[in-house]
Amino acid sequence: MNARLNLIADPTAGKALKHFMAAGRTLKDSPLPASTQELVALRVSQINGCAFCIDMHTKEAAAAGESSVRLNLVVAWREATVFSDAERAALALAEEGTRVADAGEGVSDEVWELAAKHYDEEQLATLVTLVSFMNAVNRLNIINQQPAGDYQVGQFH
């Protein structure tokens, strides 16, 4: 399987993607815990069915020390006992922020207040931006049929 386009090599898309990926690196340097960022990125990608991003964030999280048990249970985080209350709040926000068309009201006040209980304003801003960023990246990869499986840890950093 090959991607439909080489977006990086395209003059316009490549230039835009450089800025886009720089934004992603900025998020990585935020005070939102790296493990939370990877769990959120993975969950958003699972919901959207972005194989490339699932591959990437699973490998990045594992390289950062995340356990295979937690990575395997992200898809069923509500029933899993391996996530902190703060991580659960972030995952709930990620799900509602990703399923805005399905949820009707978008992110509910209940989910927002739960996230605000665990994260300060800067962390919340990062979390909201990360969810939006991941949804955009997922769509780029899905539309382009970006193949999964060959991602190397640190490839985009």
Side-chain angles (χ1 to χ4, degrees), residues 55-132:
D55 180 39
M56 175 182 179
H57 292 288
T58 300
K59 289 174 180 174
E60 289 287 346
E66 194 61 68
S67 75
S68 61
V69 170
R70 283 170 44 94
L71 291 174
N72 290 330
L73 288 173
V74 168
V75 72
W77 64 270
R78 283 182 179 80
E79 294 82 23
T81 60
V82 297
F83 302 106
S84 70
D85 289 343
E87 290 167 335
R88 290 174 177 286
L91 290 165
L93 185 87
E95 284 198 4
E96 286 195 3
T98 298
R99 292 184 164 137
V100 292
D102 301 334
E105 65 181 88
V107 176
S108 67
D109 289 339
E110 177 185 352
V111 165
W112 181 260
E113 289 166 10
L114 185 59
K117 178 179 163 185
H118 294 283
Y119 299 101
D120 66 26
E121 193 167 307
E122 186 176 5
Q123 291 171 318
L124 278 172
T126 300
L127 187 56
V128 167
T129 306
L130 175 62
V131 170
S132 300

